[in-house]
Amino acid sequence: MTPARFTQCLLVLRWTPINLASALHCNLAWIEAMETGDEMVPEELATWLETLARTHEELGIPVTYRGKGLEPATSRATRR
Protein backbone atom coordinates (compact mmCIF):
# COMPACT_ATOMS: atom_id res chain seq x y z
CA MET A 1 0.00 0.00 0.00
CA THR A 2 1.39 3.38 -0.93
CA PRO A 3 1.46 6.24 1.56
CA ALA A 4 -1.02 8.09 -0.67
CA ARG A 5 -3.50 5.18 -0.60
CA PHE A 6 -2.99 4.79 3.15
CA THR A 7 -3.95 8.44 3.62
CA GLN A 8 -6.85 8.11 1.18
CA CYS A 9 -8.23 5.13 3.12
CA LEU A 10 -8.16 7.15 6.32
CA LEU A 11 -9.95 10.03 4.60
CA VAL A 12 -12.66 7.73 3.25
CA LEU A 13 -13.14 6.29 6.73
CA ARG A 14 -13.11 9.77 8.25
CA TRP A 15 -10.32 8.68 10.58
CA THR A 16 -7.35 10.72 11.66
CA PRO A 17 -4.01 9.05 12.33
CA ILE A 18 -4.86 9.46 16.03
CA ASN A 19 -8.11 7.52 15.53
CA LEU A 20 -6.26 4.66 13.84
CA ALA A 21 -3.53 4.58 16.48
CA SER A 22 -6.22 4.46 19.15
CA ALA A 23 -8.11 1.66 17.39
CA LEU A 24 -4.93 -0.38 16.96
CA HIS A 25 -3.55 0.50 20.40
CA CYS A 26 -0.26 1.44 18.79
CA ASN A 27 2.16 4.35 18.72
CA LEU A 28 0.98 7.39 16.74
CA ALA A 29 4.51 7.93 15.44
CA TRP A 30 4.32 4.55 13.67
CA ILE A 31 1.05 5.54 11.95
CA GLU A 32 2.58 8.87 10.91
CA ALA A 33 5.63 7.03 9.55
CA MET A 34 3.36 4.89 7.35
CA GLU A 35 1.65 8.07 6.16
CA THR A 36 4.94 9.56 5.04
CA GLY A 37 6.33 6.33 3.62
CA ASP A 38 9.07 6.01 6.23
CA GLU A 39 7.50 2.70 7.30
CA MET A 40 5.85 0.08 5.14
CA VAL A 41 2.18 -0.67 5.81
CA PRO A 42 1.98 -4.32 6.89
CA GLU A 43 0.05 -6.48 4.44
CA GLU A 44 -2.61 -7.48 6.97
CA LEU A 45 -3.21 -3.84 7.94
CA ALA A 46 -3.32 -2.77 4.29
CA THR A 47 -5.90 -5.46 3.49
CA TRP A 48 -8.04 -4.45 6.47
CA LEU A 49 -7.93 -0.74 5.58
CA GLU A 50 -8.66 -1.44 1.90
CA THR A 51 -11.66 -3.59 2.84
CA LEU A 52 -13.07 -0.95 5.17
CA ALA A 53 -12.45 1.88 2.71
CA ARG A 54 -13.99 0.01 -0.24
CA THR A 55 -17.05 -0.83 1.85
CA HIS A 56 -17.48 2.81 2.84
CA GLU A 57 -16.99 3.93 -0.77
CA GLU A 58 -19.53 1.41 -2.07
CA LEU A 59 -22.20 1.96 0.57
CA GLY A 60 -21.81 5.71 0.85
CA ILE A 61 -23.41 7.81 3.56
CA PRO A 62 -27.18 7.57 4.14
CA VAL A 63 -28.77 10.87 3.13
CA THR A 64 -32.16 10.10 4.72
CA TYR A 65 -31.08 11.62 8.02
CA ARG A 66 -29.68 14.91 6.77
CA GLY A 67 -31.13 17.79 8.69
CA LYS A 68 -32.72 15.58 11.37
CA GLY A 69 -32.76 17.16 14.79
CA LEU A 70 -31.92 20.60 13.47
CA GLU A 71 -35.31 22.25 13.93
CA PRO A 72 -35.60 24.74 16.78
CA ALA A 73 -36.41 23.35 20.23
CA THR A 74 -39.80 25.15 20.17
CA SER A 75 -40.82 23.15 17.10
CA ARG A 76 -39.97 19.88 18.81
CA ALA A 77 -41.89 20.83 21.94
CA THR A 78 -45.01 21.60 19.90
CA ARG A 79 -45.06 18.10 18.38
CA ARG A 80 -45.20 16.35 21.75
Side-chain angles (χ1 to χ4, degrees):
M1 171 178 274
T2 66
R5 181 59 184 157
F6 179 83
T7 300
Q8 181 62 33
C9 285
L10 293 185
L11 288 171
V12 167
L13 296 169
R14 292 179 170 77
W15 287 356
T16 65
I18 292 171
N19 297 138
L20 181 58
S22 177
L24 297 177
H25 300 277
C26 69
N27 191 303
L28 176 59
W30 182 59
I31 301 297
E32 292 170 337
M34 288 187 285
E35 248 188 330
T36 62
D38 292 335
E39 286 280 340
M40 296 291 297
V41 180
E43 190 68 32
E44 184 180 356
L45 179 56
T47 300
W48 181 68
L49 287 172
E50 282 288 357
T51 302
L52 291 174
R54 274 196 313 273
T55 300
H56 277 252
E57 288 168 334
E58 290 170 12
L59 293 176
I61 304 293
V63 295
T64 310
Y65 308 103
R66 289 187 181 165
K68 293 286 185 190
L70 297 179
E71 68 263 4
T74 54
S75 298
R76 289 192 304 267
T78 319
R79 288 192 313 225
R80 292 183 193 170

